[in-house]
Amino acid sequence: MKDTMKKTFEFLKHLEKNNNREWFTQHKAEYDSVVKENKVFFNQVYTELQEHDNLKGIHIFRIYRDVRFSKDPTPYKTNFGVGYSRSKPMLRGGYYIQLEPGNSFVGGGFWGPEAKDLLRIRKEFELNTTEIEKITSDETFMQYFGEIKGDAVKTAPRGFDKNHPAIDLIRKKQYVVMRKFTDKEVLSDGFQKEAVLTLLAMRPFFDYMSEVLTTDLNGEPLY
């Protein structure tokens, strides 16, 4: 697996310097080889993760960028990414791995929650933050992720008090966690193991949020 990551990084570094269709076409065979090896890695992680969770599927993201509405005209991403989704509706949250020289990370959470789910999460935090604070203050969570990240509205969502003690959580539009990895760590023999351990460290967060999103504010099941 170490050789796979080395080959991946070498290809992505060259792509960053030659981000055009002509170069990519000339190196399509190299790209196909890298993709094939990455799929092995991504599927191995899926298999390990599936032993501890109930996953719905795996989504390996395309390297081709949609430039129709972008100011950046470069046609290709300079990373490889994969997402692992849990079995809805009872299990919520998604896992993600990104491989990119200087910007690799393992993360997950709730990147674009539906409006009704976002409101339910905010209402939960308005009511009580004891459980989420317990999860985010756990030693492993702190070591791997530090805090819950995500874009937020400027003051307070409509209908919420901007002076609420949990307003920093309520303001969020996303609830995601992330652990960055250096290139040296990604290229080490233990990266796959660390990636899986990092994904599994999200489970308390995911399980709590799943409970929130499958019940109403009285704790009654929705499904």
Side-chain angles (χ1 to χ4, degrees):
M1 199 53 61
K2 183 177 179 180
D3 291 339
T4 295
M5 295 304 161
K6 185 177 179 181
K7 184 186 294 186
T8 297
F9 273 18
E10 287 176 352
F11 175 81
L12 290 173
K13 285 178 180 178
H14 289 144
L15 176 60
E16 185 178 17
K17 295 177 181 178
N18 305 275
N19 201 327
N20 60 76
R21 289 182 175 83
E22 183 180 1
W23 182 90
F24 192 84
T25 300
Q26 293 173 352
H27 294 81
K28 186 63 165 55
E30 181 184 353
Y31 166 74
D32 289 340
S33 176
V34 169
V35 167
K36 185 176 180 180
E37 292 189 30
N38 272 306
K39 281 185 177 179
V40 172
F41 166 68
F42 291 148
N43 282 310
Q44 286 177 349
V45 171
Y46 178 88
T47 299
E48 290 189 57
L49 199 55
Q50 186 72 288
E51 293 177 2
H52 304 275
D53 205 343
N54 188 349
L55 302 180
K56 182 179 68 174
I58 175 173
H59 178 76
I60 299 174
F61 291 87
R62 289 161 53 87
I63 201 167
Y64 308 96
R65 295 182 65 251
D66 183 352
V67 299
R68 290 175 298 173
F69 308 105
S70 175
K71 293 181 181 179
D72 181 359
T74 54
Y76 307 104
K77 301 173 186 175
T78 54
N79 66 71
F80 288 107
V82 62
Y84 305 99
S85 56
R86 305 178 81 208
S87 296
K88 286 185 175 182
M90 300 308 294
L91 302 179
R92 303 298 182 90
Y95 302 101
Y96 182 75
I97 296 175
Q98 176 168 299
L99 303 175
E100 181 177 8
N103 190 34
S104 297
F105 65 87
V106 175
F110 303 80
W111 185 260
E114 296 178 5
K116 65 181 181 65
D117 285 346
L118 181 58
L119 179 61
R120 175 66 182 89
I121 293 168
R122 286 171 168 168
K123 286 289 188 182
E124 182 70 21
F125 293 152
E126 181 184 44
L127 188 67
N128 191 344
T129 57
T130 302
E131 190 63 29
I132 193 65
E133 288 174 358
K134 180 181 177 182
I135 290 168
T136 56
S137 62
D138 176 78
E139 184 178 349
T140 300
F141 185 97
M142 292 291 292
Q143 177 187 347
Y144 282 179
F145 311 118
E147 62 180 355
I148 296 175
K149 299 179 175 65
D151 292 342
V153 298
K154 289 184 178 180
T155 54
R158 182 176 297 178
F160 291 87
D161 180 3
K162 66 180 181 180
N163 296 314
H164 192 284
I167 192 60
D168 285 346
L169 279 173
I170 294 170
R171 286 174 54 238
K172 291 188 181 300
K173 297 185 290 185
Q174 304 167 321
Y175 296 88
V176 295
V177 295
M178 179 191 304
R179 179 187 178 189
K180 292 189 175 183
F181 285 82
T182 66
D183 290 1
K184 183 178 180 180
E185 289 171 332
V186 175
L187 295 172
S188 71
D189 291 327
F191 175 63
Q192 181 170 321
K193 179 181 178 181
E194 280 300 315
V196 172
L197 288 174
T198 303
L199 295 171
L200 292 177
M202 299 176 202
R203 279 295 301 277
F205 171 50
F206 280 9
D207 291 347
Y208 167 67
M209 296 290 267
S210 295
E211 183 179 346
V212 169
L213 292 172
T214 55
T215 59
D216 63 20
L217 281 170
N218 295 315
E220 295 296 326
L222 297 175
Y223 302 94

